[in-house]
Amino acid sequence: MTQLYERYRPKSWGEVIAQSKVVDKVQGLAARDGLGGRAYWLSGSSGTGKTSVGYLLAHEIAEDFNVQEVDAGQLTPADVRKLDGDSHLYGMGAKSGRAYIVNEAHGLRRDTVRQLLVTLERIPGHVVWIFTATVEGQEMLFENSEDACPLLSRCIRLPLSRQGLAQPFAARCREIAQAEGLDGQPIAAYVRLAQACKNNFRAMLTEVESGAMMPR
């Protein structure tokens, strides 16, 4: 069975929790100039919504089968050149775009970063590149690589908030627990859970799934 955090991953911008600034920025870009032909850099703490926002952004322009996820640590310059070549072809389906999501972008190799600098200069209008990184990993990447800052300068930055998450995360977590028959605690207990999990919503749902919020 699919884990709770996957089953309840946001399917629309309205379902994204406590990240209104990022959502507003993306929707504003979409309304003004469209989202294609750009690279986006999503940074934030674990479990605050980077992957969810990345998926929603990708699916704004591409069908699911035209969204390709890659692990940054395994991405080579040759892989980037291959993806670059593929990107010049339109995708199939109602949405003809293509999206590339590079997860854990703080793990990019230096030679891969240099190849990306070239690729991101010429993104086709129907394509988006999306990079996700933890705040801590991002800081290490920029500190240790002279190429990293030029990479970031080619991306639209979408930093996810780390403030004010406990209450909205607690409320949504309780809603999900109730829907799954796994709730038996007051909202204050869910706030404490959010604090204990350092506002990692994925970790909170894992605790709910384990039965941690059932009546004692």
Side-chain angles (χ1 to χ4, degrees), residues 32-48:
R32 289 193 304 274
D33 304 310
L35 298 173
R38 305 174 188 270
Y40 300 85
W41 187 277
L42 285 159
S43 60
S45 300
S46 296
T48 54

Side-chain angles (χ1 to χ4, degrees), residues 46-47 165-167 169-170 173 187-208 212-213 216:
S46 296
L165 302 181
Q167 288 286 350
F169 276 15
C173 190
I187 189 64
Y190 287 88
V191 174
R192 291 193 294 272
L193 177 64
Q195 294 165 343
C197 292
K198 298 181 179 180
N199 291 331
N200 184 324
F201 193 67
R202 180 174 57 250
M204 291 175 67
L205 289 184
T206 299
E207 286 297 305
V208 167
M213 305 308 286
R216 292 184 174 85

Side-chain angles (χ1 to χ4, degrees), residues 135-211:
V135 174
E136 298 78 11
Q138 173 181 279
E139 291 171 351
M140 290 181 60
L141 175 64
F142 297 151
E143 179 182 356
N144 297 329
S145 173
E146 61 186 18
D147 299 312
C149 285
L151 172 62
L152 188 60
S153 73
R154 287 163 169 78
C155 301
I156 292 175
R157 303 186 198 190
L158 298 173
L160 272 69
S161 175
R162 292 187 283 179
Q163 303 298 320
L165 302 181
Q167 288 286 350
F169 276 15
R172 178 57 178 153
C173 190
R174 192 184 190 202
E175 286 178 358
I176 293 171
Q178 290 173 338
E180 295 291 326
L182 295 169
D183 170 60
Q185 298 296 323
I187 189 64
Y190 287 88
V191 174
R192 291 193 294 272
L193 177 64
Q195 294 165 343
C197 292
K198 298 181 179 180
N199 291 331
N200 184 324
F201 193 67
R202 180 174 57 250
M204 291 175 67
L205 289 184
T206 299
E207 286 297 305
V208 167
E209 200 163 21
S210 75

Side-chain angles (χ1 to χ4, degrees), residues 10-30:
K11 295 178 175 62
S12 69
W13 293 110
E15 294 179 9
V16 176
I17 311 167
Q19 298 296 345
S20 58
K21 287 185 178 180
V22 165
V23 172
D24 289 347
K25 187 170 184 177
V26 172
Q27 293 183 325
L29 282 167

Side-chain angles (χ1 to χ4, degrees), residues 5-169:
Y5 69 83
E6 286 291 353
R7 201 181 321 156
Y8 285 92
R9 188 180 295 283
K11 295 178 175 62
S12 69
W13 293 110
E15 294 179 9
V16 176
I17 311 167
Q19 298 296 345
S20 58
K21 287 185 178 180
V22 165
V23 172
D24 289 347
K25 187 170 184 177
V26 172
Q27 293 183 325
L29 282 167
R32 289 193 304 274
D33 304 310
L35 298 173
R38 305 174 188 270
Y40 300 85
W41 187 277
L42 285 159
S43 60
S45 300
S46 296
T48 54
K50 297 186 300 297
T51 300
S52 294
V53 171
Y55 283 164
L56 289 171
L57 180 52
H59 287 99
E60 283 289 323
I61 72 159
E63 301 290 352
D64 189 60
F65 46 82
N66 289 322
V67 176
Q68 186 168 347
E69 289 188 73
V70 294
D71 181 76
Q74 303 298 318
L75 192 64
T76 67
D79 294 331
V80 174
R81 287 192 290 271
K82 174 66 165 58
L83 295 175
D84 186 10
D86 293 345
S87 74
H88 291 272
L89 301 173
Y90 283 91
M92 301 285 288
K95 300 174 185 175
S96 60
R98 290 182 181 272
Y100 302 107
I101 301 176
V102 182
N103 294 313
E104 308 295 330
H106 45 275
L108 286 166
R109 295 167 23 174
R110 293 185 66 177
D111 55 349
T112 302
V113 170
R114 287 193 290 272
Q115 183 60 48
L116 281 166
L117 296 181
V118 177
T119 297
L120 300 186
E121 286 286 342
R122 57 187 188 208
I123 304 174
H126 61 281
V127 172
V128 292
W129 282 79
I130 301 164
F131 300 87
T132 69
T134 63
V135 174
E136 298 78 11
Q138 173 181 279
E139 291 171 351
M140 290 181 60
L141 175 64
F142 297 151
E143 179 182 356
N144 297 329
S145 173
E146 61 186 18
D147 299 312
C149 285
L151 172 62
L152 188 60
S153 73
R154 287 163 169 78
C155 301
I156 292 175
R157 303 186 198 190
L158 298 173
L160 272 69
S161 175
R162 292 187 283 179
Q163 303 298 320
L165 302 181
Q167 288 286 350
F169 276 15

